[in-house]
Amino acid sequence: AQRVTQPEKLLSVFKGAPVELKCNYSYSGSPELFWYVQYSRQRLQLLLRHISRESIKGFTADLNKGETSFHLKKPFAQEEDSAMYYCALREGGKLIFGQGTELSVKP
Amino acid sequence: EPEVTQTPSHQVTQMGQEVILRCVPISNHLYFYWYRQILGQKVEFLVSFYNNEISEKSEIFDDQFSVERPDGSNFTLKIRSTKLEDSAMYFCASLYQETQYFGPGTRLLVL
């Protein structure tokens, strides 16, 4: 079965430190991957898609097919980055989500 | 910027009662979805809907669940006879240019 794994439930860093939120997937085919973010009391919103290869709010993510990973990175974390981050894989029309990682950026 | 809306934001019901969760997708979007998230667990796909019919459903989406687009704007999820384990956050989403846009969710509590 297709699966998305985010091994860390909670990641706590200090402001200005680099951040890497891990995501691994299993998929038999050419994967389409996303990162969604959910700030406190807000809705899930798209952060970035691997096919657009863009940087949003300083975050980037590179698809590594050899390692079946799509880790989310930011060189310098900000307090406003504190949120839940979900990695998701598109299968057909639906999204398959990972468990989510709560990022806490301390001042 | 248009957003997906959902009502109610919270619903408390007794086991065995019927509930209807409502969603208004972004206009001009054609594909609609329901997901749910039980507390502490993953966001799980329930059903997708296109052209007034279900295009895909998960094994969670059994005979107790149904979806409907009763008019040009609303998209509803009905649970016929709620169980305790239906307690969850229910998210509606609509699709545009390969991106799913999510509503704020309805928190359903079954007592």
Side-chain angles (χ1 to χ4, degrees), chain B residues 2-58:
Chain B
E3 291 183 325
V4 176
T5 59
Q6 290 184 243
T7 54
S9 58
H10 294 79
Q11 174 125 21
V12 181
T13 190
Q14 295 292 322
M15 190 170 57
Q17 295 295 304
E18 175 183 285
V19 294
I20 297 177
L21 309 183
R22 291 183 167 78
C23 169
V24 179
I26 297 171
S27 65
N28 300 327
H29 290 193
L30 300 178
Y31 286 84
F32 314 120
Y33 307 84
W34 283 101
Y35 293 83
R36 77 171 185 190
Q37 186 177 29
I38 295 171
L39 190 65
Q41 297 186 25
K42 293 185 179 187
V43 177
E44 302 172 288
F45 168 77
L46 292 177
V47 65
S48 58
F49 192 84
Y50 171 72
N51 200 25
N52 280 321
E53 58 184 34
I54 290 173
S55 49
E56 186 176 359
K57 60 183 180 179
S58 72

Side-chain angles (χ1 to χ4, degrees), chain A residues 23-25 31 33 50 53 61-71 73:
Chain A
C23 173
N24 289 92
Y25 66 90
L33 288 146
H50 92 270
R53 300 185 65 81
D62 290 318
L63 178 62
N64 185 324
K65 290 187 180 179
E67 295 183 358
T68 58
S69 68
F70 187 55
H71 301 329
K73 298 177 186 177

